[in-house]
Amino acid sequence: MEREVIPAPKIRKIVAKRMLESWQNSPRVSFTMRIDAEKMMDLRKKLNAGLKEGEGKISYNTIIMKACAIALMEFPDVNSCFDGENITRNPDANIGLAVDTEAGLMVPNIKQVQNKTLRQISDEMDSAIERARIGKLKIDDMSGGTFTVTSLGGMGIEHATPIINPPELAILG
């Protein structure tokens, strides 16, 4: 097989550039902690047991995003952005979910997660993931994020040190 050079799509170039900038400019500090997720697992099981036909299941990511939104409202310094001069506290938890697509990693975000039910978060997240995978995300889908969740648990990964999505100050892996 001969070596093949394939021009990178514009979106892939932008994602790569932003990740490199983050890697070079953001301090990399990771903290890990084991948690007892039994109550979360029980909650998910209970919520999904009562679903009507055709309703999407509530995922662990949905519950984690809601928990993060509650925490971000309690700790506004984490729900902030830094532009090199100023720290801006955000009034809403706009939480991104990293999605692997053929075009590269995309991070659509769900706006005002702190004000939404698990069902609303789940439906919006499912829709955003689908749009990401078929290349139909809009700029608004990927802008305005204040915090990102990335999950590799489905791939058997137990620990990761994800790259912060600027101008956000934190990411949960």
Side-chain angles (χ1 to χ4, degrees), residues 122-137:
S122 180
D123 290 348
E124 287 186 37
M125 186 176 64
D126 289 348
S127 175
I129 290 170
E130 178 63 21
R131 288 193 314 278
R133 291 196 172 135
I134 63 172
K136 299 288 184 188
L137 284 176

Side-chain angles (χ1 to χ4, degrees), residues 45-76:
K45 184 185 265 186
K46 192 180 300 182
L47 291 169
N48 287 334
L51 291 177
K52 297 176 184 138
E53 190 172 325
E55 280 187 303
K57 290 190 175 189
I58 301 293
S59 69
Y60 291 119
N61 281 334
T62 300
I63 298 168
I64 290 168
M65 289 172 74
K66 181 65 176 187
C68 287
I70 293 166
L72 291 169
M73 294 297 96
E74 187 173 339
F75 300 97

